[in-house]
Amino acid sequence: MDCIFCGIAKGDIPSKKVYEDDNVFAFYDISPQSPVHILIIPKAHIVSAAEITSENSSVVARIFEAAAKIARDAGLSEGFRIVSNCGDSAGQTVKHLHFHLLGGRDFTWPPG
Ligand code: AMP
Ligand code: ZN
């Protein structure tokens, strides 16, 4: 399977790693949309949030545990946003589940 984020999680494709454990990998987005923009992914290939099931959902809890730690370590005490684009209408360009952790500026709501 030709998946860029599987390659990054395995270390076959270079990235600026922020965090790693047995199931989760986090790295800086190559095209940051805020002063802090980190992607948090499961090491296992899951296509999107639409593919989360009772069989694979435990990694989502691990991802959010990692997110809280990463946000703390990044000094985002004023707040941050976590976004997962799911499917083409939402603008998902990489078909491996990922959570954008965005911080370091104010955000508007609703999102565009
Ligand atoms: P999305 O558009 O929600 O699917 O998010 C995909 C994100 O992956 C975008 O923000 C891209 O900038 C980012 N991205 C794509 N390729 C890489 C890469 N090789 N290293 C880091 N980030 C990447
Ligand atoms: Zn993948």
Side-chain angles (χ1 to χ4, degrees):
M1 185 182 25
D2 195 17
C3 171
I4 186 169
F5 284 1
C6 282
I8 286 175
K10 286 194 196 106
D12 295 342
I13 295 171
S15 70
K16 282 176 67 182
K17 182 168 85 174
V18 176
Y19 173 89
E20 179 174 18
D21 65 30
D22 287 349
N23 302 300
V24 175
F25 195 90
F27 54 102
Y28 285 101
D29 197 293
I30 205 168
S31 175
Q33 302 302 311
S34 52
V36 177
H37 186 172
I38 292 164
L39 299 174
I40 312 175
I41 67 172
K43 287 186 172 177
H45 185 82
I46 300 171
V47 171
S48 76
E51 307 295 323
I52 295 169
T53 66
S54 57
E55 308 299 310
N56 64 21
S57 63
S58 61
V59 73
V60 179
R62 302 288 91 77
I63 284 171
F64 275 78
E65 290 166 24
K69 176 179 166 25
I70 292 165
R72 255 193 320 272
D73 291 351
L76 300 178
S77 56
E78 298 295 309
F80 55 88
R81 182 170 286 180
I82 295 175
V83 176
S84 187
N85 297 321
C86 178
D88 293 334
S89 299
Q92 184 182 8
T93 58
V94 178
K95 305 298 198 247
H96 178 129
L97 177 65
H98 52 280
F99 294 85
H100 299 258
L101 172 59
L102 300 147
R105 66 169 170 86
D106 291 338
F107 297 96
T108 57
W109 191 264

